[in-house]
Amino acid sequence: MSLHAFRKGTPVNTEQRLLTPFTARSTAAEVIAGIDLTGRRAIVTGGASGIGTETVRALAAAGADVTIATRRPEVAEQLVRRPVAVPGAGSVRIAPLDLSDLASVRAFAESWRGPLDVLVANAGIMAVPRREVTPQGWELQLATNFLGHFALVTALHDALTASGSARVVVVSSGAHRDAPFDFGDPHFERRPYDPWTAYGQSKSAEVLFAVGARRWTGDGITVNALNPGYILTNLQRHLDDDTMRAFGVMDAEGNLTPLPYYKTPAQGAATSVLLAASPLLDGVTGRYFEDNQEASLAADGSATPGGVAAHALDPGAADRLWQYASAALQL
């Protein structure tokens, strides 16, 4: 299997998909089994809950020293108070980070010392019911899910370069297929705000970020995006009970009832851990994965779930988005 880098202007080649021996039901622990990350340093944004917590546990169990970057440090304290109980486990620490606040992002990046080997851009918000904006006037989902992570990763570029073989993992979503990035009105200043369109746009931006980061291959930095699948976590906190019932994941009494194809958080974290640590991903960049495999290109208008939309792998759009984000952040 050819593990080529995604070069500028190169269309996606679905005949050279990277396939692994893992499945949609593999857990993070299974994916990382036998991999030694001793001496490696990692950051997991949003690592205090859900698949972020499982990502932290798996990386630390393999020996990595992990920093949980979170808006609510008090929630992450239990992960520090209860160290990963396996021989050779790495340390876990907490640092405050609010991705919607550029001052917080800058403070976090400025406090980092030394090389950085892995950054998992895991934090996110979904389907905020009403349009909310940051002090910069940015729509909140785009600001948190994409622009905040873009600011963080670019601010830590030198630390990633110092690693010599750094990996950035961007947790996107299958929702990207429904909403290309709208360069004309990314913050819903003129078009009607829709929570799912805003969410999908932010997730398209995250995949395009991975494609645009092919410019960093000479620095030893690879960036890949992923869809973790359906998992019941705190990500659904903005959805009301009627919406959850309409999705079929809540009964009349308000109990959560995951559908058969839903994953556990440990299974949902597996693809993140695969991209962060597996030697199968050495040198691979600019791609999109789901269920521990590189995703196929989704057919336009297909009702079949899964796959990656062509608009999220467009190198021209990726470069345009990079320029837009750099200008917005005054980089």
Side-chain angles (χ1 to χ4, degrees):
M1 188 69 64
S2 173
L3 306 184
H4 64 278
F6 196 89
R7 299 182 298 277
K8 185 175 182 179
T10 303
V12 77
N13 186 343
T14 56
E15 294 181 353
Q16 297 186 28
R17 289 173 57 217
L18 194 160
L19 304 179
T20 81
F22 304 106
T23 72
R25 295 299 177 186
S26 297
T27 65
E30 291 167 344
V31 165
I32 208 167
I35 296 174
D36 185 3
L37 298 181
T38 302
R40 306 284 281 179
R41 305 174 73 208
I43 294 170
V44 179
T45 68
S49 64
I51 64 173
T53 294
E54 297 299 330
T55 301
V56 169
R57 287 173 174 157
L59 296 177
D65 293 321
V66 185
T67 296
I68 300 172
T70 176
R71 187 171 54 88
R72 297 189 298 164
E74 69 279 4
V75 177
E77 288 179 1
Q78 61 177 327
L79 295 178
V80 176
R81 290 198 305 266
R82 298 173 58 188
V84 179
V86 297
S91 63
V92 177
R93 61 180 292 266
I94 307 166
L97 173 67
D98 183 348
L99 289 161
S100 68
D101 180 351
L102 284 183
S104 175
V105 174
R106 293 190 185 103
F108 180 95
E110 289 171 359
S111 70
W112 186 264
R113 297 290 182 270
L116 174 60
D117 304 292
V118 175
L119 195 162
V120 183
N122 167 83
I125 54 175
M126 181 177 75
V128 177
R130 290 168 294 280
R131 180 178 181 265
E132 297 183 31
V133 297
T134 68
Q136 291 78 24
W138 300 336
E139 188 277 319
L140 187 60
Q141 293 187 78
L142 187 64
T144 303
N145 297 348
F146 168 63
L147 286 167
H149 277 126
F150 185 90
L152 177 67
V153 177
T154 51
L156 290 170
H157 175 269
D158 289 348
L160 291 162
T161 301
S163 164
S165 59
R167 296 187 184 189
V168 177
V169 178
V170 184
V171 180
S172 181
S173 165
H176 84 273
R177 294 188 297 271
D178 300 323
F181 191 84
D182 188 329
F183 287 97
D185 189 16
H187 301 292
F188 295 84
E189 295 171 303
R190 292 176 296 280
R191 55 178 169 152
Y193 174 76
D194 177 80
W196 291 107
T197 301
Y199 179 66
Q201 173 186 247
S202 74
K203 293 301 174 177
S204 282
E206 289 182 323
V207 185
L208 288 168
F209 176 30
V211 176
R214 65 195 182 280
R215 67 196 65 211
W216 287 345
T217 54
D219 300 324
I221 303 170
T222 62
V223 185
N224 292 288
L226 69 108
N227 169 21
Y230 294 94
I231 311 107
L232 290 176
T233 68
N234 194 43
L235 185 64
Q236 291 90 20
R237 63 188 177 274
H238 292 294
L239 305 185
D240 59 29
D241 289 356
D242 288 342
T243 301
M244 295 293 281
R245 291 189 183 101
F247 286 165
V249 294
M250 180 178 285
D251 64 20
E253 286 72 40
N255 301 306
L256 294 178
T257 56
L259 296 168
Y261 56 85
Y262 272 54
K263 299 180 181 182
T264 66
Q267 292 168 335
T271 307
S272 295
V273 172
L274 177 84
L275 301 186
S278 174
L280 297 172
L281 272 293
D282 286 347
V284 175
T285 195
R287 305 203 201 181
Y288 174 91
F289 290 74
E290 58 190 6
D291 295 338
N292 295 305
Q293 316 295 336
E294 184 177 3
S296 300
L297 197 63
D300 289 342
S302 173
T304 303
V308 57
H311 67 248
L313 294 180
D314 181 350
D319 288 341
R320 186 180 178 188
L321 181 64
W322 198 285
Q323 293 170 355
Y324 164 79
S326 296
L329 297 166
Q330 299 181 339
L331 299 179

